[in-house]
Amino acid sequence: MLAIIGGSGLTKLSTLELVRREVVRTPYGEPSGALMFGKLCGTQDVVFLARHGYGHTIPPHQVNYLANIWALKQAGVSEILSVASVGGIRADLGPGKLVVPDQIIDYTWGRPSTYFEGDDQVVHHIDFTHPYDEALRQRILAAAKAVSEEVVDGGVYAATQGPRLETAAEINRLERDGADVVGMTGMPEAVLAREQDLPYAAINVVANYAAGRASSEHGIAFDEIEVVLQGAMARVRTILECYCEC
Ligand code: HPA
């Protein structure tokens, strides 16, 4: 069963034929919302979870990532596809672009970010050289190709703490570090999925140019973001449908 974690702009999966919803409690507290079980394309079992809650009320630094991944694991999912909006740092990654990243740099702090914690736990170092599952990445790319949606193959995702956006100098620093896009939710979600042995990959939707870049030089236009996200998320849905069917 495939899990889809939807971010800003994707709090509902309109193409999902809902079968049941389940409120799950975990040893780590409550997930962002009920798990929505259903079918995509009439055949593929899917569970959907809105990362920020169904009313979009949970900010990135307060998402209970431990509970979310745990709940999906308990539900029996075999892979997780994350959909998350980002700011574009690289010049060619303007609003509306879709990116399937292949690397992460983590700038978040103070977020619970491991299941291997507690007096009874042995120290555990997981391999995170390649944070995204390559087979899953390739399937997303193939699905996008099959429906003729342009996606960028690879990119370095910088995970920032939020909820504020970055300064122009911070974006310059991220670029010097090698980051291509910036978002606030990619970590610790990706590493927790790895700790739970769940293949994880992401589709990043560029909502805006990052601070100080191109059209954002005079500040980021929030009304434009909304329009861009709506259009781009419709394209993500098309890719997801083919991901299940193709
Ligand atoms: N910065 C961080 N996270 C984001 C951005 C951004 O510019 N846009 C969408 N998510």
Side-chain angles (χ1 to χ4, degrees):
M1 181 166 55
L2 168 70
I4 298 170
I5 304 181
S8 302
L10 196 75
T11 50
K12 268 203 308 249
L13 202 57
S14 52
T15 39
L16 184 74
E17 296 161 40
L18 193 64
V19 176
R20 70 192 158 92
R21 65 195 291 281
E22 199 175 303
V23 176
V24 183
R25 293 223 166 69
T26 82
Y28 306 97
E30 304 225 341
S32 298
L35 301 186
M36 301 293 191
F37 291 84
K39 288 200 186 296
L40 213 51
C41 320
T43 52
Q44 168 79 47
D45 286 318
V46 169
V47 51
F48 180 81
L49 176 62
R51 183 183 287 114
H52 300 284
Y54 293 97
H56 205 276
T57 51
I58 311 168
H61 64 296
Q62 285 177 345
V63 170
N64 191 338
Y65 298 97
L66 283 151
N68 285 355
I69 299 296
W70 182 271
L72 293 174
K73 178 80 177 182
Q74 294 311 301
V77 312
S78 52
E79 55 193 21
I80 300 178
L81 214 155
S82 151
V83 181
S85 71
V86 293
I89 299 176
R90 223 168 68 193
D92 62 318
L93 299 180
K97 282 280 166 80
L98 304 179
V99 183
V100 181
D102 62 351
Q103 275 297 332
I104 295 176
I105 304 176
D106 187 9
Y107 300 91
T108 66
W109 47 268
R111 302 182 182 190
S113 55
T114 180
Y115 293 104
F116 300 120
E117 212 163 43
D119 297 340
D120 56 336
Q121 296 266 358
V122 290
V123 177
H124 210 103
H125 301 290
I126 58 147
D127 180 13
F128 204 46
T129 312
H130 301 289
Y132 298 106
D133 184 81
E134 188 55 27
L136 216 57
R137 266 186 17 86
Q138 290 303 329
R139 272 172 53 205
I140 299 168
L141 294 169
K145 194 167 177 197
V147 293
S148 304
E149 285 295 349
E150 198 191 317
V151 291
V152 177
D153 176 4
V156 178
Y157 175 100
T160 55
Q161 177 70 359
R164 67 165 177 85
L165 292 162
E166 299 72 32
T167 66
E170 285 170 338
I171 292 299
N172 288 340
R173 173 194 168 203
L174 298 190
E175 184 171 51
R176 287 195 299 274
D177 284 355
D180 299 306
V181 293
V182 55
M184 301 173 189
T185 56
M187 285 294 283
E189 198 172 85
V191 73
L192 293 172
R194 177 65 53 85
E195 285 193 355
Q196 291 296 333
D197 266 331
L198 287 171
Y200 176 97
I203 303 180
N204 290 152
V205 179
V206 180
N208 55 280
Y209 279 110
R213 294 300 146 104
S215 68
S216 79
E217 271 164 22
H218 303 292
I220 288 169
F222 290 96
D223 48 343
E224 284 171 26
I225 290 183
E226 207 46 49
V227 178
V228 169
L229 276 184
Q230 268 179 27
M233 287 303 172
R235 288 162 50 219
V236 168
R237 281 191 203 101
T238 313
I239 295 172
L240 291 178
E241 276 166 33
C242 182
Y243 180 87
C244 295
E245 260 189 347
C246 295

